[in-house]
C-alpha cells in the first residue's frame, strides 16, 4: 500500500491510538489531584453525584470546589453520571493536603505535591482514585475527539494538501501539555472538544453551504459549548460572524436556519445563564467567581507581564503538576524554534500566494484564534492566571496554521518525510515526559540502612522529642551571596512511631541574628509525613533555602534546623548526642559576602602582619583629640593571607605611658558577626569600632594600640613589620590627646 494512501485512511486511526497510549501513561503516572485544579473539579462532580445539586457560590463560604463551582455544569454532570455508583466517602475527607505545597512556582525542587499520596492510590483502584481515573478516561475520550476533529478541520481548510491534516493533528496530539490536560479531570477538555467540532462545522457550512441538519447541529454545539465553560460562548460569537458573512454571500435565506440554531443553543444553555442572573445578578456568574478566586489588584508591570508571557508559553507546551514541573530547556527550545519556523513559513506562504490568506476557511480559522486570544487577554486582566491550556479551544486552529507554515519550508515531494521526522521527534519528547519529569517529582524518598549514610556526612546526633534523630548533614561550603540558594542534605532516622505529622524548619540567621532565609516542609521533599514513618526508617532529605536579597554582608550565616507541629506551632525539644538540651540546634556557620568584593581606600595605609595569616593594611581615625567620657571611632582594614581555623578577638586600647588601659573595645571582627575562621585568602575586611574613654581619664597623651588574641587563652598574635622585624604583640596606630 502506498504511503499517501496509508496516511489518508489509516494514519489518523494510528495517531489516535498512540494518543490514547500517551494519555493513559500520563493519567497513570500523575498522582490523583496533581493536575491543575483537579481536586476542585472533582469536588464539583462528587457534589453532584452525591445529590447535592448545583453549587451556589458565596465568597464568605469555603467549599471543596472553590471557584470551580461557578463553572457551567455540562462536564461535571457527565462526570457525575459516570461515577455516581462509586463509594467515595465524605467530600470533606477527599484528600490529604500538603500544607507546604508550592503551587505555581515553576522549577521548584520540593513540595511539588499538593496532596500526600499513600498506598490507597495503588492499583486496583477503589473509592476516590477509581472515580478520578474513570473521569480521566472520559477526559481522554474528549481529547481524542479534539485530535480527530483537528484532522477533519484541516482537510476542510486545505483539501488539496495530502499530509497537512495528519500533520496538524499530530502536532496537537504530541504537545505534552495537551496530553497532560487531556488525561486530567478538567472541564477544559469538554469545551476544547466542542469548540473544535463547532469550528469544523462552521468551515463545512462555509464551504458546502448551510442545511437544516447543519444548522441544528451548530445550535447544539454552540449550546453545549456555552454549557461547558464561559469561553465556549466564543463559539456563539464566531457563529454570528460566519452567519453575517453567509448572509452577505447568499442572502436572507440563511437567516431562518441561523435563527433555529440560535433557539436550540438558547434552549440548551440559556437556563444556566438565567439561573446565574437570578442568584448573583450577573448572567455569567463571573463576578462571584472572581470574588471567590481573587481579583488582580493592578495590571502587571512590564517585567511581570513578560514573566506571565513566558509562563503562558511554557504552560502551552509543557508545565506539569500545579505549574511547578518544568521540562528540559532543549525541549522548550525545540518547541520555540518550531513556532518561529511556523510563523515565518506562514508569512512566506502569504507572500507567495496572497489569495490563499483571503479564503473564507482561513479567515474563519484565524478569527477563532483572535476570539480565544481576546478572551484570554480579558481573563488575564481580571486574574493573574495566564495559562496555556486556556488557548486550547483554539488549539486545532493553531496546530493547523503552524503545520501549514512548517510545510512551506519543504518541497512538496518531501512533505511525507517532514511528517515522519516531526512525528518521531515530537513523540519522543512527549513520551519521555511522564518518566523523566512527572514521576520523579512525586517519588517518595528511599528508606536507607545505616550503612547507606555516607562517611562524608557531618555527624550530629540531635534527637527531637525522642521521636526523630538528625544523624548528620552535608552542606555547601562555598561562600554565599545575597539572593543565592543554599542546598542542605540531611539524614533523618525515626526512633519511635509518630501519630503527628511534624514539619521540618530550616532557618538562616545573618547579621545580628536577623532571619535571612527560611524553608518549611514535610520530610521527603513534602511527600513523606512523619505519621507514615516506621521506627528505624532512615531518609535522606534535601532542602533548598533562598537567601534574602537584603541580607547584610559580610556576615556569618547560622543554619538552624528543627521540627514543629504545624497545628500548634510548638517546636519539638532537642538534645545533643550526649543527651544535653539544645536551645538552638545550629548545624553550621557559613560566610555571606557580596558577589563583587568591595574596594576600600583607607585614610591611613599600613603594612604589618599579625601572625602569618592576617595583615592590617590600613585604618580610618576621624579624631585624635577627645574629652574624658567621649568615644573615639576607629575603622580597621584587615587582609586575610591564609585560611584561619581559629576565631581571634580584636583588641583596641587607648593606653597611657605605663600601659594602663583608659579606653577599650574588644570584639571579634564586625561585632562578632564575621569571625576570622570564615575569612578567605586575599579578602579585605572593613572592621569598625567605637572606643569609649573612661570618664575619669586624666588629660594628657595616650596611645591607640590594636592587635588580636585568642579569647580562650588570652594569647596575642605576634606583630611583624613589612621587613619582617618584630614589633611585639600590638600595633601602635596613633597618639590620642585627652583634654
Amino acid at each position: 500500500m502506498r504511503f499517501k494512501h496509508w496516511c489518508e485512511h489509516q494514519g489518523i486511526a494510528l495517531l489516535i491510538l498512540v494518543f490514547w497510549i500517551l494519555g493513559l501513561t500520563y493519567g497513570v503516572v500523575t498522582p490523583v489531584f496533581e493536575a491543575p485544579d483537579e481536586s476542585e473539579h472533582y469536588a464539583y462532580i462528587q457534589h453532584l453525584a452525591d445529590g447535592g445539586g448545583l453549587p451556589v457560590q458565596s465568597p464568605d463560604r469555603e467549599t471543596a470546589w472553590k471557584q470551580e463551582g461557578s463553572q457551567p455544569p455540562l462536564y461535571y454532570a457527565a462526570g457525575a453520571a459516570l461515577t455516581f455508583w462509586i463509594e467515595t466517602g465524605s467530600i470533606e475527607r477527599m484528600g490529604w493536603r500538603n500544607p507546604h505545597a508550592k503551587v505555581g512556582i515553576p522549577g521548584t525542587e520540593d513540595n511539588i505535591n499538593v496532596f500526600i499520596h499513600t498506598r490507597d492510590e495503588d492499583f486496583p483502584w477503589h473509592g476516590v482514585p477509581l472515580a478520578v481515573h474513570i473521569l480521566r478516561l472520559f477526559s481522554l475520550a474528549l481529547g481524542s475527539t479534539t485530535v480527530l476533529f483537528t484532522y477533519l478541520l484541516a482537510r476542510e481548510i486545505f483539501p488539496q494538501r495530502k499530509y497537512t491534516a495528519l500533520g496538524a493533528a499530530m502536532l496537537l496530539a504530541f504537545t505534552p501539555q495537551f496530553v497532560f490536560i487531556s488525561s486530567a479531570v478538567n472541564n477544559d477538555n469538554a469545551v476544547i472538544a466542542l469548540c473544535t467540532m463547532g469550528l469544523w462545522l462552521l468551515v463545512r457550512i462555509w464551504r458546502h453551504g448551510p442545511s437544516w441538519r447543519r444548522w441544528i447541529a451548530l445550535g447544539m454545539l454552540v449550546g453545549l459549548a456555552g454549557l461547558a465553560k464561559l469561553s465556549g460562548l466564543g463559539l456563539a460569537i464566531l457563529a454570528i460572524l460566519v452567519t453575517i458573512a453567509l448572509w452577505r454571500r447568499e442572502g436572507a435565506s440563511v437567516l431562518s436556519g441561523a435563527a433555529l440554531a440560535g433557539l436550540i443553543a438558547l434552549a440548551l444553555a440559556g437556563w444556566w445563564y438565567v439561573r446565574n442572573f437570578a442568584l448573583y445578578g450577573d448572567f455569567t456568574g463571573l463576578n462571584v467567581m472572581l470574588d471567590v478566586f481573587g481579583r488582580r489588584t493592578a495590571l502587571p508591570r512590564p517585567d511581570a507581564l513578560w514573566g506571565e508571557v513566558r509562563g503562558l508559553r511554557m504552560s502551552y507546551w509543557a508545565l506539569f503538576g500545579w505549574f511547578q514541573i518544568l521540562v528540559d530547556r532543549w525541549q522548550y527550545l525545540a518547541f520555540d524554534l518550531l513556532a518561529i519556523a511556523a510563523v515565518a513559513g506562514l508569512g512566506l506562504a502569504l507572500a507567495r500566494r496572497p489569495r490563499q490568506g483571503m479564503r473564507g476557511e482561513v479567515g474563519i480559522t484565524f478569527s477563532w484564534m483572535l476570539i480565544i486570544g481576546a478572551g484570554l487577554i480579558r481573563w488575564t486582566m481580571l486574574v493573574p492566571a495566564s495559562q496555556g491550556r486556556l488557548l486550547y479551544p483554539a488549539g486545532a486552529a493553531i496546530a493547523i496554521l503552524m503545520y501549514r507554515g512548517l510545510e512551506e519550508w519543504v518541497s512538496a515531494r518531501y512533505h511525507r518525510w517532514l511528517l515522519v521526522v516531526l512525528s518521531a521527534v515530537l513523540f519522543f519528547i512527549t513520551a519521555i515526559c511522564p518518566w523523566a519529569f512527572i514521576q520523579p517529582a512525586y517519588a517518595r524518598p528511599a528508606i536507607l540502612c545505616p550503612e547507606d549514610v555516607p562517611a562524608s556526612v557531618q555527624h550530629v546526633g540531635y534527637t527531637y522529642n525522642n521521636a526523630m534523630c538528625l544523624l548528620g548533614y552535608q552542606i555547601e561550603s562555598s561562600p554565599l551571596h545575597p539572593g543565592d540558594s543554599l542546598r542542605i542534605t540531611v539524614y533523618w532516622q525515626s526512633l519511635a512511631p509518630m501519630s503527628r505529622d511534624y514539619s521540618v524548619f530550616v532557618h538562616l540567621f545573618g547579621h545580628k541574628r536577623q532571619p535571612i532565609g527560611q524553608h518549611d516542609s514535610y520530610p521527603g521533599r513534602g511527600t513523606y509525613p512523619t505519621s507514615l514513618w516506621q521506627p528505624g526508617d532512615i531518609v535522606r532529605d534535601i532542602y533548598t533555602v533562598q537567601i534574602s536579597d537584603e541580607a547584610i554582608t559580610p556576615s556569618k550565616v547560622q543554619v538552624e534546623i528543627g521540627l514543629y507541629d504545624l497545628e500548634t506551632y510548638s517546636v519539638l525539644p532537642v538534645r545533643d548526642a550526649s543527651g544535653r538540651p539544645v536551645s538552638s540546634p545550629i548545624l553550621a556557620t557559613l560566610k555571606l559576602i557580596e558577589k563583587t568584593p568591595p574596594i576600600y581606600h583607607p585614610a591611613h595605609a599600613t603594612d604589618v602582619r599579625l601572625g602569618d595569616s592576617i595583615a592590617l593594611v590600613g585604618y580610618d581615625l576621624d579624631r585624635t583629640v577627645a574629652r574624658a567620657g567621649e568615644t573615639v571611632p576607629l575603622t580597621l582594614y584587615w587582609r586575610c593571607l591564609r585560611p584561619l581555623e581559629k576565631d581571634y578577638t580584636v583588641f583596641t586600647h587607648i593606653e597611657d605611658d605605663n600601659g594602663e588601659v583608659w579606653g577599650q573595645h574588644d570584639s571579634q571582627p564586625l561585632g562578632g558577626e564575621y569571625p576570622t575562621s570564615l575569612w578567605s585568602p586575599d579578602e579585605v575586611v572593613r572592621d569598625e569600632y567605637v572606643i569609649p574613654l573612661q570618664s575619669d581619664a586624666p588629660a594628657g597623651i595616650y596611645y591607640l594600640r590594636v592587635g588580636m588574641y585568642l579569647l580562650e587563652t588570652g594569647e596575642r598574635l605576634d606583630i611583624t613589620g613589612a621587613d619582617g622585624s618584630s614589633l611585639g604583640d600590638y600595633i601602635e596606630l596613633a597618639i590620642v590627646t585627652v583634654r
Side-chain angles (χ1 to χ4, degrees):
M1 182 179 292
R2 297 176 64 185
F3 182 82
K4 64 178 182 179
H5 184 72
W6 182 86
C7 274
E8 289 175 0
H9 299 286
Q10 298 184 22
I12 187 60
L14 178 58
L15 178 63
I16 290 176
L17 175 62
V18 174
F19 178 77
W20 267 91
I21 294 172
L22 289 171
L24 290 170
T25 303
Y26 276 72
V28 170
V29 169
T30 304
V32 171
F33 299 150
E34 294 297 349
D37 304 320
E38 190 173 51
S39 55
E40 285 81 2
H41 290 297
Y42 174 79
Y44 191 163
I45 292 170
Q46 184 176 333
H47 180 70
L48 292 179
D50 290 344
L54 293 173
V56 176
Q57 294 290 83
S58 171
D60 301 324
R61 183 166 59 95
E62 181 72 22
T63 61
W65 48 83
K66 298 182 181 177
Q67 75 280 355
E68 305 303 344
S70 301
Q71 299 273 18
L74 179 63
Y75 177 84
Y76 307 100
L82 290 171
T83 58
F84 72 93
W85 53 273
I86 302 172
E87 180 57 46
T88 55
S90 170
I91 198 170
E92 286 76 18
R93 300 175 63 244
M94 192 177 62
W96 182 358
R97 284 188 174 268
N98 174 14
H100 304 292
K102 297 179 179 178
V103 176
I105 305 177
T108 185
E109 296 181 353
D110 54 64
N111 289 286
I112 293 170
N113 56 303
V114 177
F115 288 81
I116 304 299
H117 305 286
T118 66
R119 299 292 183 189
D120 291 338
E121 295 182 22
D122 292 350
F123 188 83
W125 302 307
H126 61 278
V128 171
L130 175 60
V132 168
H133 284 287
I134 289 175
L135 293 168
R136 287 179 174 181
L137 288 176
F138 173 50
S139 291
L140 191 56
L142 293 170
S144 303
T145 302
T146 301
V147 173
L148 174 61
F149 276 87
T150 300
Y151 172 79
L152 297 175
L153 174 62
R155 287 178 68 91
E156 293 291 339
I157 299 173
F158 300 109
Q160 304 303 319
R161 307 192 72 86
K162 300 175 182 178
Y163 306 110
T164 304
L166 189 58
M170 176 275 301
L171 196 59
L172 184 63
F174 292 168
T175 296
Q177 190 73 8
F178 179 74
V179 182
F180 177 67
I181 293 299
S182 296
S183 59
V185 182
N186 195 307
N187 70 330
D188 281 325
N189 293 300
V191 77
I192 292 166
L194 290 165
C195 286
T196 305
M197 295 168 68
L199 179 60
W200 165 79
L201 184 56
L202 284 168
V203 170
R204 262 187 89 76
I205 291 173
W206 179 262
R207 283 194 68 214
H208 305 290
S211 67
W212 288 108
R213 186 171 62 180
R214 288 172 182 159
W215 284 123
I216 292 170
L218 179 63
M220 294 177 64
L221 288 173
V222 170
L224 292 175
L227 204 56
K229 194 171 183 178
L230 285 181
S231 58
L233 295 177
L235 188 61
I237 298 174
L238 183 65
I240 292 171
L241 295 176
V242 173
T243 300
I244 293 172
L246 283 170
W247 169 62
R248 295 183 63 183
R249 188 182 75 178
E250 301 187 14
S253 60
V254 302
L255 297 180
S256 57
L260 175 62
L263 289 174
I264 293 172
L266 284 173
L268 287 173
W271 66 271
W272 169 256
Y273 296 93
V274 172
R275 172 186 180 270
N276 284 338
F277 188 80
L279 286 174
Y280 315 120
D282 172 16
F283 283 108
T284 64
L286 184 59
N287 286 325
V288 70
M289 184 180 190
L290 294 174
D291 290 338
V292 173
F293 183 76
R295 302 170 186 263
R296 189 189 287 276
T297 56
L299 292 178
R301 303 187 310 273
D303 56 337
L305 181 61
W306 174 244
E308 291 195 26
V309 171
R310 289 180 63 246
L312 177 68
R313 160 189 141 261
M314 295 165 69
S315 61
Y316 185 91
W317 298 123
L319 185 56
F320 308 122
W322 290 63
F323 310 106
Q324 312 107 315
I325 305 173
L326 298 169
V327 297
D328 289 334
R329 284 187 177 182
W330 69 267
Q331 291 167 286
Y332 290 115
L333 179 62
F335 282 116
D336 288 344
L337 292 176
L338 204 66
I340 292 170
V343 172
L346 280 177
L348 188 61
L350 289 174
R352 289 171 174 171
R353 292 171 292 277
R355 289 189 178 182
Q356 280 199 359
M358 303 300 292
R359 291 171 52 225
E361 298 88 341
V362 176
I364 292 171
T365 305
F366 190 72
S367 298
W368 177 238
M369 291 172 55
L370 292 178
I371 290 170
I372 293 299
L376 176 60
I377 292 172
R378 174 58 179 162
W379 177 249
T380 302
M381 292 174 65
L382 296 173
V383 298
S386 303
Q387 301 173 17
R389 63 186 168 93
L390 301 180
L391 288 172
Y392 285 156
I398 293 170
I400 291 168
L401 294 180
M402 275 189 65
Y403 197 81
R404 177 64 191 88
L406 293 171
E407 282 186 324
E408 195 65 24
W409 296 105
V410 180
S411 172
R413 60 180 173 175
Y414 295 117
H415 282 182
R416 71 174 71 177
W417 296 112
L418 175 67
L419 177 60
V420 170
V421 171
L422 279 181
S423 297
V425 172
L426 295 181
F427 170 77
F428 172 75
I429 291 175
T430 306
I432 65 173
C433 287
W435 311 110
F437 307 107
I438 298 177
Q439 188 182 58
Y442 301 105
R444 273 197 192 173
I447 304 301
L448 307 179
C449 299
E451 53 269 22
D452 295 327
V453 180
S456 59
V457 164
Q458 296 288 325
H459 292 279
V460 178
Y462 286 153
T463 59
Y464 297 80
N465 203 34
N466 295 320
M468 291 276 280
C469 177
L470 180 60
L471 298 177
Y473 69 93
Q474 293 171 313
I475 199 167
E476 298 173 350
S477 58
S478 57
L480 302 172
H481 311 99
D484 280 357
S485 294
L486 176 64
R487 189 179 179 88
I488 305 169
T489 302
V490 302
Y491 292 83
W492 293 103
Q493 183 175 32
S494 173
L495 302 178
M498 289 170 278
S499 59
R500 308 289 292 179
D501 291 318
Y502 297 118
S503 297
V504 178
F505 69 81
V506 181
H507 292 165
L508 303 184
F509 297 104
H511 184 78
K512 294 184 178 179
R513 289 281 294 179
Q514 290 295 312
I516 61 171
Q518 180 173 344
H519 178 89
D520 294 77
S521 174
Y522 279 164
R525 300 189 308 162
T527 66
Y528 199 29
T530 54
S531 62
L532 300 179
W533 290 44
Q534 299 298 317
D537 284 357
I538 298 176
V539 170
R540 175 179 180 265
D541 214 358
I542 299 174
Y543 311 117
T544 303
V545 190
Q546 184 75 24
I547 299 173
S548 169
D549 292 326
E550 307 300 322
I552 297 174
T553 60
S555 175
K556 64 183 178 184
V557 175
Q558 293 182 312
V559 182
E560 182 181 35
I561 189 167
L563 294 166
Y564 69 99
D565 188 331
L566 186 60
E567 291 186 9
T568 63
Y569 283 94
S570 57
V571 178
L572 271 61
V574 186
R575 293 184 179 273
D576 63 18
S578 301
R580 294 170 297 192
V582 177
S583 59
S584 182
I586 301 298
L587 286 192
T589 300
L590 310 173
K591 68 181 296 176
L592 180 71
I593 58 175
E594 290 291 340
K595 291 183 179 180
T596 303
I599 299 175
Y600 300 115
H601 300 283
H604 306 278
T606 61
D607 188 7
V608 292
R609 305 289 191 271
L610 292 85
D612 60 356
S613 300
I614 300 175
L616 180 66
V617 296
Y619 67 94
D620 299 334
L621 184 62
D622 293 339
R623 59 188 303 190
T624 57
V625 178
R627 297 181 182 276
E630 292 183 342
T631 59
V632 178
L634 172 66
T635 302
L636 303 173
Y637 296 87
W638 308 104
R639 181 186 295 277
C640 179
L641 305 177
R642 295 182 181 85
L644 294 105
E645 296 181 356
K646 299 178 180 180
D647 292 326
Y648 288 94
T649 298
V650 177
F651 67 85
T652 58
H653 291 177
I654 296 177
E655 302 178 357
D656 61 17
D657 287 331
N658 299 320
E660 186 175 352
V661 177
W662 292 92
Q664 179 178 4
H665 183 174
D666 289 14
S667 170
Q668 289 189 5
L670 277 74
E673 298 299 323
Y674 197 45
T676 57
S677 61
L678 296 180
W679 294 7
S680 301
D682 294 327
E683 181 180 5
V684 175
V685 178
R686 185 176 185 272
D687 192 16
E688 295 183 351
Y689 295 86
V690 177
I691 309 170
L693 280 166
Q694 294 182 16
S695 58
D696 57 346
I701 301 299
Y702 294 82
Y703 305 95
L704 177 57
R705 295 165 178 169
V706 301
M708 287 188 178
Y709 65 95
L710 277 176
L711 184 63
E712 296 83 358
T713 63
E715 180 183 359
R716 293 184 177 184
L717 288 175
D718 292 330
I719 312 297
T720 56
D723 56 0
S725 59
S726 176
L727 300 179
D729 59 5
Y730 63 82
I731 306 165
E732 188 169 300
L733 292 183
I735 294 175
V736 176
T737 302
V738 176
R739 291 182 176 177

